[in-house]
């Protein structure tokens, strides 16, 4: 396993999806004891770990990237890749196969998903290209002494398979291009770690998401040993259709799910648009995405050493500028 090299007595503040909420981020860092010094935030004893999805939706994406980039390059922070960074990368990377265009087709849906990032960088194209090159070097997962981080999910056998080939948790150009083949290890790893696990709805059903998009699949939990029904495994704010909620999962369905067992190290993820008061999602898993960009909370977890996760270690700030689910300012 490729692990981060750490000094003893170092504490970590793991931070959920920022999505351009720069003001909330600086408020949270101040609250955690970081101070602005020589162009970025740092703490005398602690390091920050960002769970990805720094970009899209929010009002200050450029400022967010500038700050996190500085913190990472000074050794004051780590960041793992989120699905939103990945979308931005692919939208701007041409396929190696001639005539295939960009890795992420430049259609209306894909452009609208990254609209805020495109708009805010409209006059800073060189800077955007620089950040995209940086995204292409970021890790998909990190393993520290006492905990693990990934944007949406951890799958140990798949990670080991990947490390057998690449010896590094970072993506690179080759991984990116190979991940376009849906049967590749690269695709399975990138997709699972940045988007989590999901399941196709039965009966060709679809769900109208709160973001207005129609989806034929739904996000699933990855820490249940032996789930019984569709309703037990769903893990997203948009509910299942009533007639599907209590339906039994087939053995085939169950085999497609990932099981992160209670004996594995504590794991931190973002990604899932949680709401309400920050809490653990299982004994050894915490999700730190509390929908900051939709008027929720920007959440951190203070990791101070080995041991059980505890709710007292969550720290958050309320996000003041409220956006509706189309990214428009409500107040
Ligand atoms: Mn995400």
């Amino acid at each position: 396993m490729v692990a981060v090299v750490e000094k003893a007595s170092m504490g970590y503040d793991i931070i959920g999806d920022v999505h351009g909420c720069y003001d909330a981020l600086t408020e949270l860092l101040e609250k955690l004891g970081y101070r602005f010094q020589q162009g970025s935030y740092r703490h005398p004893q602690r390091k920050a770990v960002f769970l990805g999805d720094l970009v899209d939706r929010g009002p200050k994406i450029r400022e967010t990237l500038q700050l996190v980039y500085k913190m990472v390059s000074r050794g004051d922070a780590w960041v793992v890749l989120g699905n939103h960074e990945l979308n931005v990368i692919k939208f701007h990377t041409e396929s190696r196969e001639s005539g295939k265009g960009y890795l992420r087709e430049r259609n209306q849906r894909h452009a609208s998903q990254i609209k805020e990032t495109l708009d805010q960088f409209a006059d800073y194209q060189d800077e955007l290209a620089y950040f995209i090159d940086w995204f292409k070097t970021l890790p998909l997962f990190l393993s520290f002494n006492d905990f693990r981080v990934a944007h949406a999910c951890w799958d140990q056998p798949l990670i080991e398979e990947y490390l057998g080939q690449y010896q590094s948790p970072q993506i690179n150009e080759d991984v990116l291009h190979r991940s376009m083949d849906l049967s590749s290890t690269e695709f399975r790893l990138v997709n699972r770690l940045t988007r989590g696990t999901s399941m196709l709805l039965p009966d060709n059903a679809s769900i109208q998401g709160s973001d207005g998009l129609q989806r034929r699949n739904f996000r699933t939990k990855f820490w249940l040993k032996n789930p019984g029904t569709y309703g037990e495994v769903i893990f997203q704010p948009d509910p299942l259709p009533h007639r599907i909620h209590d339906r039994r999962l087939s053995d085939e369905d169950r085999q497609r799910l990932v099981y992160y067992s209670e004996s594995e190290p504590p794991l931190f993820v973002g990604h899932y648009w949680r709401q309400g008061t920050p809490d653990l999602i299982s004994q050894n898993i915490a999700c730190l995405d509390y929908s900051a960009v939709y008027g929720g909370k920007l959440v951190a977890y203070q990791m101070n050493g080995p041991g059980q996760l505890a709710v007292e270690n969550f720290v958050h700030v309320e996000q003041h500028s409220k956006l509706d689910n189309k990214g428009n300012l409500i107040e």
Side-chain angles (χ1 to χ4, degrees):
M1 187 69 215
V2 180
V4 172
V5 179
E6 301 169 63
K7 292 181 196 148
S9 81
M10 203 186 265
Y12 294 90
D13 301 300
I14 305 142
I15 299 173
D17 307 27
V18 181
H19 280 305
C21 295
Y22 175 79
D23 294 341
L25 174 57
T26 57
E27 190 185 336
L28 180 65
L29 288 169
E30 296 265 355
K31 194 168 179 177
L32 291 165
Y34 290 69
R35 293 295 172 258
F36 194 75
Q37 289 170 350
Q38 293 146 3
S40 88
Y41 279 84
R42 68 185 357 165
H43 192 290
Q45 288 93 30
R46 303 180 67 83
K47 305 285 179 190
V49 182
F50 291 92
L51 294 176
D53 279 6
L54 303 169
V55 301
D56 293 344
R57 297 197 170 111
K60 294 187 181 175
I61 296 161
R62 238 184 109 218
E63 291 85 343
T64 300
L65 287 179
Q66 288 168 348
L67 173 58
V68 174
Y69 175 81
K70 271 188 202 145
M71 290 178 73
V72 171
S73 33
R74 286 176 164 195
D76 292 321
W78 282 271
V79 59
V80 289
L81 200 67
N83 55 312
H84 282 262
E85 281 79 40
L86 210 56
N87 285 348
V88 172
I89 294 173
K90 288 183 172 175
F91 195 86
H92 292 89
T93 303
E94 284 184 75
S95 172
R96 286 172 175 172
E97 295 173 55
S98 64
K100 282 223 164 170
Y102 289 85
L103 295 186
R104 194 163 175 83
E105 191 193 332
R106 291 194 156 191
N107 60 29
Q108 182 56 42
R109 176 172 172 148
H110 294 162
S112 73
Q113 284 171 337
I114 63 169
K115 180 182 185 303
E116 285 304 323
T117 303
L118 296 177
D119 287 355
Q120 291 171 35
F121 277 97
D123 296 330
Y124 306 94
Q125 289 297 311
D126 291 349
E127 192 181 337
L128 178 61
Y130 188 87
F131 283 131
I132 291 171
D133 284 343
W134 177 53
F135 294 161
K136 288 180 180 179
T137 69
L138 292 180
L140 289 156
F141 55 93
L142 286 171
S143 183
F144 293 80
N145 284 346
D146 302 317
F147 65 98
R148 296 167 168 174
V149 299
H151 181 62
C153 182
W154 189 284
D155 181 338
Q156 185 65 17
L158 190 52
I159 284 172
E160 282 172 18
E161 185 184 330
Y162 178 84
L163 285 173
Q165 276 175 258
Y166 290 99
Q167 291 84 44
S168 164
Q170 294 169 284
I171 60 154
N172 58 48
E173 286 281 344
D174 287 338
V175 171
L176 200 61
H177 287 275
R178 286 180 194 148
S179 74
M180 299 308 291
D181 171 359
L182 304 192
S183 67
S184 65
T185 301
E186 291 84 351
F187 169 78
R188 287 188 295 130
L189 185 89
V190 169
N191 190 56
R192 182 153 289 171
L193 268 53
T194 65
R195 296 180 186 277
T197 52
S198 61
M199 203 175 256
L200 202 60
L201 287 158
D203 309 339
N204 284 320
S206 67
I207 297 175
Q208 161 97 36
S210 52
D211 58 4
L213 297 176
Q214 286 284 336
R215 291 192 176 79
R216 295 208 43 226
N217 47 36
F218 63 97
R219 291 176 174 180
T220 54
K221 294 173 183 168
F222 55 91
W223 55 89
L224 301 179
K225 194 170 188 181
N226 200 13
T229 63
Y230 279 86
E232 275 175 52
V233 297
I234 187 169
F235 189 55
Q236 62 178 35
D238 300 317
L240 287 170
H242 277 301
R243 66 181 196 283
I244 293 170
H245 191 270
D246 293 327
R247 190 181 299 195
R248 304 288 304 169
L249 294 164
S250 67
D251 288 344
E252 209 182 9
D253 289 332
R254 238 179 254 115
Q255 273 168 13
R256 284 198 212 101
L257 294 167
V258 170
Y259 173 49
Y260 193 87
S261 97
E262 289 183 357
S263 63
E264 292 185 76
L267 170 66
F268 295 92
V269 295
H271 190 60
Y272 294 98
W273 300 114
R274 308 273 292 159
Q275 290 170 356
T277 307
D279 200 358
L280 303 174
I281 53 176
S282 81
Q283 180 186 300
N284 59 339
I285 307 174
C287 170
L288 304 181
D289 177 16
Y290 279 77
S291 312
V293 74
Y294 292 156
K297 300 173 176 69
L298 187 63
V299 176
Y301 186 96
Q302 294 187 297
M303 192 74 193
N304 300 318
Q308 293 265 323
L309 298 180
V311 287
E312 302 86 73
N313 293 344
F314 286 107
V315 177
H316 75 265
V317 296
E318 301 288 341
Q319 171 58 3
H320 307 296
S321 68
K322 293 190 169 57
L323 299 176
D324 67 17
N325 59 23
K326 295 196 171 61
N328 302 311
L329 212 57
I330 295 167
E331 51 178 41

